[in-house]
Amino acid sequence: MPARQLVLDLPHRAAQARGDFLVAPCNEAAVAWIDRWPDWPAPGLALYGPAGSGKSHLAAVWQSRSGAVAVSAAALRGGRIEARYCVFEEGEALLRDRGAAEALFHLYNRIAARRGHLLVTGAEPPARWTLPLADLASRLRALPAVEIRPPDDAMLSGLLAKLFRDRQLAVPGEVILYLVQRIERSCAAVARTVEALDRASLAERRPITLPFARATLGFA
Amino acid sequence: MTLTGNGNGNGNNRDVSNERSFGGERPNALELAWVRVRAHLRSEYGDAAFKNWLRSLTLLRASGDKVVLAVTSKFWRDWIAAHYGDRLVALWKAENLGFNGVEIVVNAVEAKEPRPRGDALEMPQRETDEARPQPAPAAMNGEEPRLGDVQNLCTPLDPRLTFETFVIGKPNEFAHAAALRVAEADEIPFNPLFLYGGVGLGKTHLMHATAWRLRMRNPARRVMFLSSETFMHLFVKAVRYKDTHAFKEQFRSVDVLMIDDVQFFGEKSATQEELFHTFNALVDHRRQVIISADKPPVDLQGIEERLKSRLGSGVVAQLNPTNYELRLSILQAKAEQKGVAIPSKVTEFLAHKITSNIRELEGAMTRLFAHATLLNSREISIDMAQEVLQDLLRANDRHVTIDDIQKRVCEHYNIKMADLLSPRRARAVARPRQVAMYLAKQLTTRSLPEIGRKFGGRDHTTIMHGVRKIEELRGGDPSLNEDIEILTRSLTR
């Protein structure tokens, strides 16, 4: 599985509406920017944060709201794209791809001229992308860049609860609070934990309780 | 989601129809009650649970005999309803305000009506439609405009980019004067006007400003302003549709032709040929041509000599990198334009820290304004600037080592590390070596002898010579300059 695709996205392909997005302090700035569209002060926006932090989900929310076209590096090289609203999610793919960078540069110019918007996402902010084209680099660096931070407690709780519920598992709130204090603080770890508990609970035919979670995950 | 006997919550009810609005007396009571309910919840479930689950719950309004609360996602709504619903209803009933139930709605901006942009569109000639986002159809290589629509492919003029908003300083005063001269002249003063400069220094601003002024002074004049990319695109299409005659006619009938970023013409010889002929035809007919690029004509790569000499036959004006004073004036002008008060300490901080170019400087300012006025309503301070612009500021602060520099230079010039460190003096390795020395001097705090040791045990005078050599060359060699910019950026990202 490609590292950048979130596990937790897989069962929820369809549920990429804004209402399905968990808003927590770690991503509220990003959500606020998406929500205030089309009142963006620049020809675009850059969202950045670690894999699995929800960039693609937010990008999809914006895409459905704006009717934006999702653009890949391959599509950029393939020909002239005329859309006024575009999402480009392969920021880091540009680093060694002069052809795509040049095409994105021209696309950016057309979007800016028509007062459209370009949403770019990546693990790092554009200021840290080493782009092969200075003209593009400076344009992207001038965009508002908003970070989605690694998940905080509220986010992890919400995610645990959501993933348990998606698997039809009734898990008491206390178990979730217990897990939040102990698991690695990433969305990927949440997904792994839920998976492990689900499997164990199925195998042993026992409900997920505090003692069960403690024993299964080997927490003291 | 409604939490009472009547269970007709339909899942995505963002709005409540039978809404009861209150004058002045009830909302206060409502808000006070909400404070009490929250306090109960917090004490009953504990701080951690309250913060994790109930923090996002907000009071929206009263509706009939129900209290409407809002959360930010469907998931929170379901979770809170399932785990805390009964308690919420009981607590509200206990408030004795006549409530019989609680409704939780998702307060996400799901299908908000796009608002027109906030920017003032004070200049004429811009249709209001253009300023309002509409869901755009996915037009990918599908229906392209025919040649006849060339006017649609012209760069629309940006009302913000005028001479009035162009901030003049030492680095750009000559280019500004030259552009103004062309824009205000009744007779063509020189042809062409060739504007060049590094990234983000105001070439495009001057182009737009010139086009505006030309149009304003004489609306009948046919001004065609387009990017080099659009020019190429149109030409390639004309060739494909065997319609080059119309293409030629289109371009040769204008009064003023303006082409932005001609450096992208490099290596596209058929298009160059066409530009050359168009150019000659226009100049012969006493029509103004204005060109912009990132380098002076002689340094354009992949452009034929005769075109280069043609491009350089009028006035060639450079937009130089900014200095501190110009950056400061730009920031002040921008703040004034936006009507935002910004402490001089902050403008000084930005002018000092963001030195790359005007576009990034203005971008930084825009981000600060957006943050201050629209997201948080906070005062602009240096702390806030540091927080909001951390990605930009930190990008310049990274610790760079000589090893990093050598490695990156080898990659960039595609040479071997052994060659870089060897005594070989062939230019293909000597120049990159000097670039690496120069960068080591600029980007690290190491002494010249230390740098010398890292470069195969060279003497510090050799390093000094290399550094000086690059300093000299940088001024007159844009491609070397660009190499250094790319390397610096990649090393300090």
Side-chain angles (χ1 to χ4, degrees), chain B residues 389-438:
Chain B
L389 304 174
Q390 50 164 309
D391 57 302
L392 283 181
L393 297 171
R394 256 198 249 145
N396 299 324
D397 286 352
R398 206 186 112 196
H399 182 69
V400 183
T401 66
I402 295 177
D403 292 344
D404 292 339
I405 292 170
Q406 292 175 332
K407 195 164 145 262
R408 207 59 71 83
V409 167
C410 286
E411 281 167 15
H412 186 87
Y413 289 102
N414 203 16
I415 58 172
K416 292 198 196 80
M417 182 66 85
D419 287 338
L420 188 87
L421 302 180
S422 75
R424 280 187 59 206
R425 290 193 184 182
R427 191 155 157 189
V429 296
R431 191 50 46 80
R433 187 185 297 135
Q434 287 172 331
V435 167
M437 291 173 181
Y438 171 84

Side-chain angles (χ1 to χ4, degrees), chain A residues 92 95-96 124-131 141, chain B residues 391-400 408 443 486-493:
Chain A
E92 274 92 359
L95 307 191
R96 307 216 168 270
E124 296 277 342
R128 272 175 238 153
W129 299 356
T130 342
L131 297 176
R141 288 170 67 121
Chain B
D391 57 302
L392 283 181
L393 297 171
R394 256 198 249 145
N396 299 324
D397 286 352
R398 206 186 112 196
H399 182 69
V400 183
R408 207 59 71 83
L443 302 177
I486 289 174
L487 283 163
T488 306
R489 236 193 346 270
S490 88
L491 285 159
T492 52
R493 80 198 164 100

Side-chain angles (χ1 to χ4, degrees), chain B residues 274 340 423 463:
Chain B
E274 188 54 39
V340 180
I463 306 299

Side-chain angles (χ1 to χ4, degrees), chain B residues 225-474:
Chain B
F225 175 27
L226 69 176
S227 66
S228 63
E229 192 243 357
T230 302
F231 185 92
M232 287 186 280
H233 172 69
L234 291 174
F235 179 68
V236 168
K237 226 165 44 169
V239 171
R240 195 188 308 146
Y241 291 123
K242 301 194 169 41
D243 206 3
T244 48
H245 180 71
F247 176 86
K248 288 179 205 296
E249 282 304 300
Q250 195 97 48
F251 281 93
R252 293 177 192 183
S253 62
V254 302
D255 297 309
V256 182
L257 176 65
M258 308 177 70
I259 302 183
D260 216 359
D261 285 330
V262 296
Q263 70 271 18
F264 290 103
F265 274 124
E267 314 297 344
K268 295 177 175 128
S269 61
T271 329
Q272 272 189 42
E273 182 79 22
E274 188 54 39
L275 178 68
F276 181 73
H277 291 307
T278 304
F279 185 92
N280 283 341
L282 288 171
V283 172
D284 288 348
H285 288 87
R286 309 236 0 106
R287 308 283 163 76
Q288 180 75 57
V289 178
I290 309 174
I291 302 287
S292 85
D294 65 347
K295 304 174 183 71
V298 287
D299 292 327
L300 288 171
Q301 284 162 4
I303 303 256
E304 286 175 50
E305 286 306 322
R306 54 180 190 154
L307 183 53
K308 281 187 193 174
S309 84
R310 257 311 198 173
L311 291 172
S313 62
V315 164
V316 176
Q318 184 180 6
L319 289 138
N320 295 290
T322 59
N323 56 23
Y324 178 78
E325 287 71 32
L326 178 59
R327 289 196 293 274
L328 203 56
S329 322
I330 288 169
L331 292 171
Q332 284 157 352
K334 183 127 177 136
E336 204 170 299
Q337 221 173 297
K338 295 261 175 189
V340 180
I342 171 164
S344 56
K345 273 203 161 52
V346 177
T347 44
E348 284 159 18
F349 172 77
L350 292 178
H352 179 67
K353 282 285 186 182
I354 301 179
T355 56
S356 46
N357 58 56
I358 299 172
R359 182 184 295 118
E360 287 170 33
L361 189 67
E362 292 195 337
M365 191 81 156
T366 301
R367 284 167 67 176
L368 278 189
F369 289 162
H371 198 81
T373 58
L374 299 153
L375 287 177
N376 288 18
S377 309
R378 276 170 55 190
E379 288 222 346
I380 297 178
S381 65
I382 291 189
D383 283 350
M384 175 196 167
Q386 266 169 335
E387 179 197 321
V388 175
L389 304 174
Q390 50 164 309
D391 57 302
L392 283 181
L393 297 171
R394 256 198 249 145
N396 299 324
D397 286 352
R398 206 186 112 196
H399 182 69
V400 183
T401 66
I402 295 177
D403 292 344
D404 292 339
I405 292 170
Q406 292 175 332
K407 195 164 145 262
R408 207 59 71 83
V409 167
C410 286
E411 281 167 15
H412 186 87
Y413 289 102
N414 203 16
I415 58 172
K416 292 198 196 80
M417 182 66 85
D419 287 338
L420 188 87
L421 302 180
S422 75
R424 280 187 59 206
R425 290 193 184 182
R427 191 155 157 189
V429 296
R431 191 50 46 80
R433 187 185 297 135
Q434 287 172 331
V435 167
M437 291 173 181
Y438 171 84
L439 291 170
K441 174 74 177 31
Q442 300 298 320
L443 302 177
T444 73
T445 52
R446 311 303 285 275
S447 67
L448 292 178
E450 281 176 299
I451 298 174
R453 276 196 291 281
K454 281 284 198 178
F455 280 85
R458 284 178 159 78
D459 191 75
H460 77 275
T461 52
T462 310
I463 306 299
M464 202 156 31
H465 171 77
V467 172
R468 287 219 185 109
K469 183 80 196 162
I470 297 299
E471 268 166 358
E472 273 169 38
L473 291 174
R474 252 195 109 162

